[in-house]
């Protein structure tokens, strides 16, 4: 594959995607007091963006850059570095299957084939109804429970092909019973 350079200043308005809401802007501003510089609030700002609109659109990245008073390229650098940030719409639930050695040995490849067959999508794709996206990721840090599948923030352990229908149909398969860290939620 050859590299292709895109001048994002020339992307048509219609392809910039959604911007961030006033509520999300406020939430981002709440983080400024926690850090010595606005730039340092970039990671929580991007999580807030992704929580609000489902991914990091070009318009949202531009708006975050303005809020944090940094170049848009600095925002793009961070978004493109971390695989957990998406630059295209993702499903309501993201299935993240471990592709590292313990999970592979314990059958992750069969689980992957079954997920892709059931959902009819490949890696980094989203079902037409917007419900599911699928990705593989390196070690999810639960190797002794291989194979591991995360649904949004919830870890499913020792997943077998026979478990998938239950996991896919359970509306709470992505819900954690824990309060979120205040490192994520800005102070009121
Ligand atoms: S190898 Fe899969 S969780 Fe570590």
């Amino acid at each position: 594959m050859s590299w292709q350079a895109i001048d994002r200043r020339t992307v048509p308005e219609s392809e910039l995607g959604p911007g961030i809401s006033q509520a999300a802007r406020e939430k981002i501003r709440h983080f400024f007091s926690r850090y010595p510089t606005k730039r340092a609030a970039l990671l929580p700002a991007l999580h807030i963006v992704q929580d609000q609109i489902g991914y990091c659109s070009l318009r949202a990245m531009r708006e975050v850059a303005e809020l944090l008073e940094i170049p848009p390229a600095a925002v793009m650098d961070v978004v493109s570095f971390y695989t957990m940030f998406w630059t295209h719409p993702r499903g309501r639930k993201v299935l993240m299957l471990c592709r590292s050695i313990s999970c592979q040995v314990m059958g992750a490849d069969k689980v992957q084939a079954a997920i892709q067959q059931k959902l009819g999508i490949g890696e980094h794709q989203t079902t037409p109804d917007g419900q599911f996206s699928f990705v593989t990721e390196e070690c999810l840090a639960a190797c002794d429970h291989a194979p591991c599948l995360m649904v949004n923030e919830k870890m499913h352990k020792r997943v077998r092909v026979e478990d998938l229908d239950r996991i896919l149909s359970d509306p709470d398969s992505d819900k954690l019973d824990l309060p979120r860290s205040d490192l994520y939620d800005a102070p009121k």
Side-chain angles (χ1 to χ4, degrees), residues 98-104 138-144 146-148 155:
C98 176
R99 61 174 178 236
S100 292
I101 186 69
S102 300
C103 290
Q104 280 296 307
E138 299 303 339
C139 183
L140 299 178
C143 318
D144 47 339
C148 296
M155 177 76 85

Side-chain angles (χ1 to χ4, degrees), residues 65 70-80:
I70 57 178
V75 180
M76 178 63 84
D77 278 352
V78 171
V79 169
S80 58

Side-chain angles (χ1 to χ4, degrees), residues 41-113:
L42 180 52
L43 281 177
L46 291 172
H47 281 293
I48 290 166
V49 166
Q50 195 155 267
D51 236 30
Q52 187 220 316
I53 61 179
Y55 69 109
C56 297
S57 67
L58 286 174
R59 191 186 308 276
M61 285 192 266
R62 216 182 247 179
E63 290 172 351
V64 166
E66 279 168 22
L67 264 177
L68 271 55
E69 298 171 12
I70 57 178
V75 180
M76 178 63 84
D77 278 352
V78 171
V79 169
S80 58
F81 180 81
Y82 291 106
T83 56
M84 290 179 103
F85 291 126
W86 286 58
T87 54
H88 57 278
R90 55 180 187 162
R92 200 174 64 75
K93 290 183 179 178
V94 177
L95 306 180
M96 185 187 292
L97 180 70
C98 176
R99 61 174 178 236
S100 292
I101 186 69
S102 300
C103 290
Q104 280 296 307
V105 167
M106 296 304 287
D109 52 346
K110 290 193 185 71
V111 174
Q112 175 168 355

